[in-house]
Amino acid sequence: MLKKERYEAVIKHFRENMPIAETELQYENPFQLLVAVVLSAQCTDKRINMVTPALFEKFPGPEFLAASNFDELFPYIKTVSYPNNKTKHLLGLGKMLIEDFGGEVPATVPELIKLPGVGRKTANVITSVVWNQPNMAVDTHVFRVSKRLGLVSQTAKTPLEVEKQLIRHIPKEYVHIAHHWLILHGRYVCLARKPKCEECTLTHLCRYFEKQNGKVTKVQTGN
């Protein structure tokens, strides 16, 4: 199977079986999504969705964060991972949005990564979810699933390497939703420690499954 054929088959499968795929973070506007994604680093979406309703009621816009302080903000996010750092990030993020971006969430990756607490992965999430830009955020789920399926090479050691390979082969119109396909598949089926291969409908395309069952087939790398 050519790599191109593998990609086509995986995309076809998800289009037919998961036509609607979106973030599980709850938000109403780009600002809320940005805050939620910053908070979600090394934390579950479920936990973040428990925290954000009260947080957004108290801080509905960047101007409220910009006018706040550590002692006021911290209690609202103290139950998430690394609350001290994230409190500082949100305070700085609010100020920069007001001072440098007119209170609006910027729509490009280079601008977003200037914000405190925002790295490439977060910037890719925001631009792909809000504006459907063909950017691929690679978290632990995307990293794991794309390698297990054989979409990217086993020699890809960093999220950026995985991102570049996925972007190279996924048609632009599917990149923004492919991000969610891979995340959700990794979150509920292709688990890190014990993947649910018996429930998976992609085993016929999966290099990991082939290897585990002693049926490895050589995949050509041509396009």
Side-chain angles (χ1 to χ4, degrees):
M1 178 183 289
L2 294 172
K3 180 154 286 191
K4 179 181 179 181
E5 293 173 336
R6 185 178 296 277
Y7 269 90
E8 290 175 347
V10 169
I11 291 172
K12 181 176 184 293
H13 171 87
F14 279 125
R15 286 182 63 194
E16 294 176 349
N17 295 279
M18 199 186 298
I20 298 176
E22 52 194 14
T23 180
E24 294 184 312
L25 291 171
Q26 297 171 2
Y27 70 99
E28 295 181 356
N29 54 57
F31 167 74
Q32 289 188 356
L33 179 62
L34 176 60
V35 170
V37 176
V38 169
L39 290 176
S40 70
Q42 296 181 287
C43 196
T44 65
D45 287 359
K46 182 178 180 181
R47 166 57 57 183
I48 301 307
N49 289 335
M50 293 171 63
V51 168
T52 50
L55 176 67
F56 292 151
E57 182 176 358
K58 178 67 175 181
F59 305 95
E63 66 274 20
F64 294 87
L65 287 177
S68 188
N69 57 63
F70 187 95
D71 291 337
E72 183 179 25
L73 176 58
F74 180 83
Y76 288 88
I77 64 171
K78 65 182 181 180
T79 61
V80 308
S81 60
Y82 306 104
N84 289 349
N85 286 338
K86 290 178 180 178
T87 297
K88 296 174 184 177
H89 288 158
L90 291 186
L91 293 172
L93 180 150
K95 291 179 180 178
M96 186 172 286
L97 286 178
I98 295 299
E99 296 174 359
D100 296 351
F101 297 103
E104 299 294 328
V105 175
T108 69
V109 169
E111 289 177 313
L112 281 163
I113 61 177
K114 295 178 182 178
L115 297 169
V118 178
R120 184 177 182 84
K121 181 182 73 174
T122 295
N124 282 342
V125 170
I126 302 303
T127 54
S128 65
V129 171
V130 177
W131 295 286
N132 290 340
Q133 294 180 20
N135 296 326
M136 174 62 66
V138 178
D139 67 354
T140 57
H141 298 303
V142 174
F143 191 90
R144 178 178 69 256
V145 172
S146 61
K147 295 187 78 170
R148 282 181 175 173
L149 286 175
L151 296 176
V152 302
S153 65
Q154 295 302 310
T155 57
K157 301 300 183 183
T158 68
L160 182 58
E161 290 176 11
V162 169
E163 175 189 334
K164 288 181 177 180
Q165 291 189 35
L166 291 173
I167 291 295
R168 186 182 309 135
H169 294 284
I170 299 175
K172 284 187 176 181
E173 64 268 30
Y174 297 124
V175 172
H176 70 283
I177 192 171
H179 161 72
H180 299 299
W181 285 336
L182 295 173
I183 284 180
L184 294 173
H185 189 68
R187 184 173 291 167
Y188 296 109
V189 181
C190 194
L191 308 182
R193 295 185 178 180
K194 191 176 181 181
K196 300 178 181 179
C197 295
E198 69 282 358
E199 299 179 14
C200 182
T201 53
L202 280 169
T203 52
H204 63 296
L205 298 171
C206 181
R207 295 301 307 277
Y208 174 85
F209 182 79
E210 291 175 351
K211 184 177 180 180
Q212 293 300 110
N213 288 272
K215 299 178 180 180
V216 180
T217 57
K218 186 175 182 180
V219 176
Q220 302 176 50
T221 57
N223 292 323

